[in-house]
Amino acid sequence: MSVDQIKEISVIGSGAMGSQIAMVAALSGFDVKLQDINEESLGKAEKELRFRLNKRAEKGKVSKQEVEEAFSRLTFLSSLEDAVNNSDFVIEAIIENVEVKKELFEKLDKLAPPHAILSTNSSTIVSSKVAHHTNRPEKVCNFHFFNPALVMEMVEVVQGPHTSEETAQTAFELAKKLNKTPILLKKEISGFVANRILGKVMNEAIYLYENEIATAEEIDLACTKALNHPIGPFALIDLTGLDVHYSVREQRYKESGNEEDKPSQTIIDKVNKGELGRKTGKGFYSYS
């Protein structure tokens, strides 16, 4: 299948990443179905997207007409079958749990048309972990966006050993049609490129924090003012969610067996206290 044959895109999971990926596709002219088993999550996603897009329209980054046209192309659904039965390209954006993803890909394989590409937005769980739970492993790949997907330009496309050249190239070209800048990895590796580099930065930031060498605020300032990073590591963890950071590190540790890949005690303590970052109003920073 070529990229020109992709007319309808399905996004599974209406969290912050899934909902914004769906809107990116809708703004790019595709018919999009956003699915979640939780009706409340779907309602929250639509409300949040309208808020974000209205803000972008106020700033002149997008016209009000473009916003309304995008929403007219975006459908919110709780039925997985209805969400993917006419899909050309599926993007999974659910919880970072390999067993849950395996179950989902088994269902997607049965419900989506035979020609459809099944992709995962995960940067931690490589697609070979789920591909062989389908009858179309050659049509499975990683298609990784960055948070916030409406703003961040990069998409990492990963061609696993099971992924066909055609699938990888189609996904790569689709990223371009979504007005993103893609890179294509020809080998699987957990974390891919950007997050492996970021992981080293975060490891050092947490080391400095836990050893009381500097505060979270001071470390973030060093990264933004000295290294010219757009956001500091602790502010970024708060943005993506400490629970997400915890799950990613746990998954990486299971794969590598390397003690350095485990979540830090600081992260564990905050997750246990429910301090998950912006989503709960408190993480390394407090939010009103």
Side-chain angles (χ1 to χ4, degrees), residues 32-44:
V32 185
K33 291 178 178 175
L34 176 61
Q35 187 272 343
D36 200 298
I37 56 174
N38 188 326
E39 293 273 8
E40 185 179 345
S41 180
L42 285 170
K44 183 179 177 182

Side-chain angles (χ1 to χ4, degrees), residues 1 6 87-91 112-119 136 138-141 166-168 170-171:
M1 181 176 65
I6 298 176
S87 184
D88 302 305
F89 196 100
V90 180
I91 304 169
H115 72 273
I117 290 173
L118 308 180
S119 73
R136 62 180 97 185
E138 74 285 354
K139 294 183 182 295
V140 179
C141 68
E166 180 184 65
T167 294
T170 298

Side-chain angles (χ1 to χ4, degrees), residues 271-287:
V271 168
N272 287 339
K273 287 190 288 186
E275 296 177 1
L276 307 182
R278 287 181 177 270
K279 68 179 75 175
T280 59
K282 188 176 182 181
F284 288 98
Y285 297 89
S286 294
Y287 305 89

Side-chain angles (χ1 to χ4, degrees), residues 6-69:
I6 298 176
K7 306 299 180 186
E8 184 172 299
I9 294 174
S10 303
V11 182
I12 313 304
S14 65
M17 284 301 295
S19 60
Q20 290 195 38
I21 291 169
M23 180 50 72
V24 165
L27 284 167
S28 301
F30 292 92
D31 290 325
V32 185
K33 291 178 178 175
L34 176 61
Q35 187 272 343
D36 200 298
I37 56 174
N38 188 326
E39 293 273 8
E40 185 179 345
S41 180
L42 285 170
K44 183 179 177 182
E46 182 172 9
K47 183 179 179 181
E48 180 68 18
L49 285 174
R50 287 204 176 271
F51 174 79
R52 286 181 178 272
L53 269 294
N54 287 337
K55 285 288 185 183
R56 290 174 71 83
E58 288 172 9
K59 294 177 180 179
K61 294 181 178 179
V62 63
S63 71
K64 289 186 178 180
Q65 182 178 346
E66 286 174 315
V67 171
E68 290 311 311
E69 287 177 354

Side-chain angles (χ1 to χ4, degrees), residues 5 9 18 23 26 33-34 36 45 65 86 102 121-122 139 142 146 151 166 172 188 202 212 223 226 231 255 265 287:
Q5 294 173 288
I9 294 174
M23 180 50 72
K33 291 178 178 175
L34 176 61
D36 200 298
Q65 182 178 346
N86 197 40
K102 286 176 182 177
N121 180 58
S122 179
K139 294 183 182 295
N142 285 83
F146 290 83
V151 177
E166 180 184 65
F172 185 83
E188 286 188 337
M202 287 187 169
E212 300 181 348
C223 289
I231 186 172
E255 292 181 3
Q265 192 59 49
Y287 305 89

